Amino acid sequence: MATPPSPILLCLLLLLLVASPSHPRASASSPFEAALAKLQARIGYTFRAPDLLRRAMTHASYSRENGRALAVLGLAAAQSAAALGALAADNDAASSAVSRRASEVASEAACAAAGVHVGIPAIVRVASRTSASAAPVVCGALRALIGAVAVDANSTDAAGEVFWRLHVLTVESAATAAI
């Protein structure tokens, strides 16, 4: 009669199975993983911890593990980058002008436009009753993306750079479309 395998051996086998390249989370074979890879190329930032990006592209309607907390950080990083940009352009700017610029650039409409520009509506995971193209959803995902960059890079400066790159590309695209 054969003896059953030890619990340690079973745990090791389970770890090998989970860590193997054929495991869905370890490969980029799913459409979601492929979309995340394209998104990283579009924003010019490669995540060291891709789970942060997965979380950022997950709406609260889809999962309890979502990007809401990252969006809080992303909004703060975006507003900080906008305020810094306003002061860099005019270090004598009135506080009201700096505040207004930070609010405008990080507004829901501006974030949603940047999110649409990089394709977030096609990537963000939402529940079936939620519209992935709704401005609050797209804006929240973009802010979560910016927050995820900040956490991944351990730098709000890196997040601000990604935010500005997306904001400038969106503004340039809108100006070109208007011509």
Side-chain angles (χ1 to χ4, degrees):
M1 179 163 171
T3 60
S6 72
I8 292 174
L9 182 59
L10 289 173
C11 286
L12 286 174
L13 287 172
L14 181 61
L15 282 174
L16 286 174
L17 179 64
V18 169
S20 74
S22 64
H23 188 269
R25 286 187 65 102
S27 72
S29 62
S30 77
F32 183 61
E33 294 298 320
L36 294 179
K38 287 179 185 175
L39 179 60
Q40 290 178 84
R42 282 188 212 126
I43 67 170
Y45 183 85
T46 302
F47 281 83
R48 293 180 295 220
D51 281 344
L52 287 167
L53 180 56
R54 283 186 204 95
R55 183 178 286 264
M57 292 298 106
T58 303
H59 188 261
S61 68
Y62 186 85
S63 173
R64 289 178 56 172
E65 294 180 9
N66 57 66
R68 274 189 170 166
L70 292 169
V72 172
L73 176 59
L75 173 60
Q79 289 175 329
S80 177
L84 182 61
L87 286 169
D90 179 7
N91 63 0
D92 290 326
S95 61
S96 60
V98 173
S99 178
R100 185 173 41 260
R101 178 71 175 150
S103 294
E104 288 170 358
V105 170
S107 71
E108 183 177 284
C111 286
V116 166
H117 186 74
V118 295
I120 285 177
I123 301 168
V124 66
R125 298 185 293 188
V126 297
S128 60
R129 66 188 182 281
T130 303
S131 172
S133 60
V137 173
V138 177
C139 176
L142 181 85
R143 288 174 178 169
L145 172 65
I146 300 304
V149 170
V151 173
D152 189 67
N154 195 29
S155 166
T156 54
D157 289 343
E161 288 173 20
V162 170
F163 172 77
W164 270 122
R165 188 169 33 251
L166 297 179
H167 178 72
V168 168
L169 288 174
T170 303
V171 169
E172 288 174 354
S173 177
T176 304
I179 293 176

